[in-house]
Amino acid sequence: LARSGLKARSPLLVRIARLHGVPRACVRRLAGAMSGDEGSEGRSPEGANMIARLAPQLVPWFQWPEIRRVSLTQRHVAHEVVMLIYQRYLTNTAPTSISARLDKLGMRLNCAQAAQSKGSPDATAMASGGLLVLEQSAFVLAQNCENYADLFEHVGFTIGDELDPVCTALLDCIERITSFRDAVIRLREHARAQHEAGPRMSSRVQRTGAWDDD
C-alpha cells in the first residue's frame, strides 16, 4: 500500500478500487460515500445508495477474495453483488453467462470429436489437446459456481425472496457444467481406447455431436 501511495486509513473498498485501477471519478464518488471506518455501512442512506449504484462498475475489476470480503463487510454492496452475479453469470440471456460460455465450449467439444473421428495421429493429438483445455475450462466454471454458492450462503439473505430464483439458476448451471464435463471425460476415454486399439477404432467414432445440450 505504501508503494502505491494509498492511505492506510482509507476504507477497504476504496483501497481495492484504487489498487485495481478503477477510474478516478468512480473512486472519488465511492470515497465520498463511505466513512473512514473499516466495514462501515456508509455515512448516510444516500452514501449507502451511492455505494450500491457503484457496485456494478467495481465488481468486474476485483478478484474473487476481494469480492467476498467486501460483500461480507458491506451489506448494501452484498445485495448488489449477488444480483450482479445472477444477471451477468447465471441467466440464460447475458453474453457473459455460464450458459453462453458452455454453448461455445460445446461447439469446441464437437469440433474435437470431429477431429478425433478422422483417426490420423495429428488429428488425434489435436483433439486430445483440445479436450484437456475443455476439461480445465469446465473445472474453472465449476469452481466459480462453488464461489457463488458460498457467497449466497453467507449474504443471500440481503436479496430476500429473490434468492430462490437465483439459487435455482445456480443449480441449473451446475447441472449443465456437470453434463458438459462428463461428455468431455467420455470423449477423452474414447480417445485413449482408440489410441490403444489402433487405427481400426477410428471407424467406430460416433458422427453425432459429442455434447448436444438442450
Side-chain angles (χ1 to χ4, degrees):
L1 291 176
R3 292 177 62 183
S4 61
L6 301 182
K7 297 180 180 179
R9 63 176 179 274
S10 298
L12 170 66
L13 194 56
V14 175
R15 297 205 305 270
I16 294 175
R18 288 174 176 168
L19 282 170
H20 284 282
V22 174
R24 292 183 179 180
C26 184
V27 174
R28 283 197 298 270
R29 292 196 300 271
L30 179 65
M34 299 188 70
S35 69
D37 295 331
E38 193 84 1
S40 170
E41 287 290 333
R43 292 177 176 176
S44 64
E46 291 76 14
N49 290 335
M50 173 63 75
I51 296 170
R53 288 196 299 271
L54 291 173
Q57 302 176 46
L58 296 170
V59 170
W61 294 81
F62 295 172
Q63 300 297 319
W64 181 256
E66 298 163 344
I67 293 174
R68 186 179 188 278
R69 185 178 178 187
V70 168
S71 297
L72 292 176
T73 57
Q74 303 285 338
R75 179 173 175 176
H76 43 278
V77 174
H79 176 279
E80 298 301 321
V81 169
V82 171
M83 294 308 300
L84 185 65
I85 288 173
Y86 171 65
Q87 293 162 3
R88 286 178 60 90
Y89 305 117
L90 303 181
T91 62
N92 293 325
T93 55
T96 54
S97 68
I98 290 175
S99 178
R101 178 64 174 159
L102 284 172
D103 288 342
K104 294 178 181 178
L105 292 176
M107 294 175 61
R108 293 174 59 182
L109 179 59
N110 289 334
C111 289
Q113 184 193 31
Q116 188 182 103
S117 67
K118 295 179 179 179
S120 67
D122 290 343
T124 300
M126 182 179 298
S128 297
L131 291 174
L132 178 60
V133 172
L134 292 175
E135 187 172 3
Q136 292 173 341
S137 298
F139 175 80
V140 171
L141 292 178
Q143 184 63 58
N144 288 345
C145 286
E146 289 184 15
N147 290 336
Y148 302 155
D150 174 72
L151 186 66
F152 296 168
E153 181 179 358
H154 287 86
V155 300
F157 67 91
T158 61
I159 64 172
D161 294 339
E162 293 178 281
L163 181 60
D164 184 60
V166 168
C167 289
T168 299
L170 176 61
L171 291 175
D172 289 343
C173 287
I174 292 173
E175 289 181 3
R176 286 199 65 193
I177 293 170
T178 301
S179 176
F180 175 79
R181 184 170 54 189
D182 290 346
V184 173
I185 292 173
R186 287 195 300 270
L187 193 57
R188 190 184 61 183
E189 290 176 348
H190 179 82
R192 184 183 298 111
Q194 178 181 349
H195 175 74
E196 293 174 353
R200 289 177 299 177
M201 281 289 293
S202 63
S203 62
R204 303 180 190 177
V205 179
Q206 297 179 358
R207 300 292 175 175
T208 57
W211 186 63
D212 185 13
D213 179 70
D214 295 328

